[in-house]
Amino acid sequence: MVALLAAVAEHGEVVLSELAVELGASTATIRRDVAVLAEQGLLVRTHGGARRTNHGDELPVKLRDGRNRRAKQAIAQAAVDQLPHGRHAVALTGGTTTTEVLRAMGERHDLTIITNSVSLAIEAAACGQLRVLIAGGILRANSLELVGSLTESTFKQFNVGTAIVGSDGVSLEGGLTTHDHVEAGTNHTMIERAQRVICVADGTKIGRVTLAKLADLTDIDLLITDSTADPAALARIRRSGVEVQVVHVDHQ
C-alpha cells in the first residue's frame, strides 16, 4: 500500500489499470487496496482510478518506513561519519531518514540526542541511547512530532553541536520545505540553535518544493543525498554555496 500511496502522491491522479502494471499487481488487488486507503482518508477514489486528497501528499509516518530504505541507510551512515568524536549534542528532526541516522549511531553513547519526535525518542531508548531530551509541545498526528511555541522555547534553551534535518523537498527555488507551516517553524528554531546543520534527503526530495519553508539553503552546511538525485538540481544547489555529498546506492 505504501507504493500505491507514493504513486498517487507523485502523479496526483492515477488510472487503476496503469497502476497495476506499474506496481506489478492485479487490478483486483489494486482496487481493494484503493478502497481500504479511501476509507482511511488517505486518497480519494475516482471512476477507474484514484487521486490524492486535498491535504497534500504527505504520508503518515507509520506508512513511510519502507520507502527508499537502502538509500536512507547509506545517507544516514554518511551523516554519522560527520559527527566529531567525544561528547556532542545532536538535534534530530522527525522522519524516516533521521531515524536511520539514529540507528546508524550504534555504540555512540557519548552523544546527547535532542528531538521533538516522539517516535524517534522511543527509537533512541530502544537503541540504548543514555541521554535523550524531548522538546515538548503540541503533537502533530501525521508526523508524530511535537510542534509550536512550547517546543521552540525548549529548543532555545540548548546549544546544539550538530542539527541533522530531514526535509520533504530541497531545491534552489524553495530551500528546505515540508508539508506543515507550524512544523517548519519549529524545525527552523532547531536549526538556529546549531553550530552545524546537515540536511539528509534521499534523491526523491531533491528539486522538489512542498508547502512550507523550514530553512533557506544558506542555513545548511552540508546536504547528503543519494545517487538517484537529479544532477541538474544538485548542480543548482551546489552553485548556491552548499556543500553536497552524494552516496552511491545500487538499486539493482
Side-chain angles (χ1 to χ4, degrees):
M1 289 190 187
V2 174
L4 193 159
L5 278 174
V8 173
E10 179 180 358
H11 301 296
E13 187 166 354
V14 295
V15 177
L16 295 189
S17 58
E18 296 176 356
L19 190 60
V21 173
E22 179 179 341
L23 300 181
S26 69
T27 303
T29 297
I30 296 296
R31 187 178 295 108
R32 286 195 299 270
D33 289 348
V34 165
V36 170
L37 294 170
E39 288 177 1
Q40 297 176 6
L42 298 174
L43 52 74
V44 177
R45 296 176 72 180
T46 62
H47 182 68
R51 63 175 173 81
R52 64 186 177 208
T53 68
N54 293 326
H55 304 299
D57 56 2
E58 181 183 20
L59 290 178
V61 67
K62 65 182 180 181
L63 295 177
R64 302 177 202 165
D65 194 55
R67 302 179 70 194
N68 307 315
R69 183 78 180 272
R70 293 175 65 185
K72 292 175 182 180
Q73 289 173 333
I75 291 166
Q77 186 58 59
V80 171
D81 290 344
Q82 291 288 327
L83 297 177
H85 296 290
R87 292 188 176 184
H88 194 69
V90 181
L92 296 169
T93 64
T96 53
T97 308
T98 49
T99 299
E100 292 296 345
V101 171
L102 178 68
R103 292 168 180 165
M105 289 177 182
E107 299 301 317
R108 285 295 307 271
H109 299 312
D110 52 346
L111 301 173
T112 296
I113 308 300
I114 305 169
T115 187
N116 61 319
S117 167
V118 174
S119 58
L120 195 144
I122 293 171
E123 181 80 25
C127 291
Q129 290 294 336
L130 303 178
R131 291 182 295 275
V132 182
L133 303 176
I134 304 175
I138 298 171
L139 180 64
R140 184 168 181 262
N142 223 36
S143 64
L144 294 181
E145 288 186 69
L146 299 162
V147 299
S149 59
L150 181 59
T151 316
E152 293 166 24
S153 177
T154 306
F155 278 136
K156 289 175 182 178
Q157 298 180 46
F158 299 119
N159 294 312
V160 176
T162 304
I164 301 180
V165 183
S167 182
D168 296 304
V170 184
S171 67
L172 178 64
E173 299 78 12
L176 275 62
T177 55
T178 187
H179 292 280
D180 181 81
H181 71 282
V182 179
E183 183 177 307
T186 299
N187 289 344
H188 183 73
T189 301
M190 176 194 290
I191 288 171
E192 289 180 325
R193 301 302 301 167
Q195 297 175 23
R196 190 181 191 211
V197 180
I198 300 174
C199 176
V200 288
D202 70 72
T204 64
K205 313 294 176 54
I206 305 304
R208 186 183 185 197
V209 180
T210 56
L211 178 66
K213 177 183 282 190
L214 67 90
D216 292 315
L217 286 180
T218 53
D219 292 326
I220 66 172
D221 300 292
L222 173 64
L223 167 65
I224 304 178
T225 188
D226 70 87
S227 52
T228 65
D230 177 22
L234 286 180
R236 290 191 292 271
I237 292 170
R238 284 191 176 98
R239 285 197 295 269
S240 74
V242 175
E243 180 184 356
V244 177
Q245 180 179 349
V246 179
V247 298
H248 178 74
V249 179
D250 185 2
H251 291 276
Q252 298 300 321

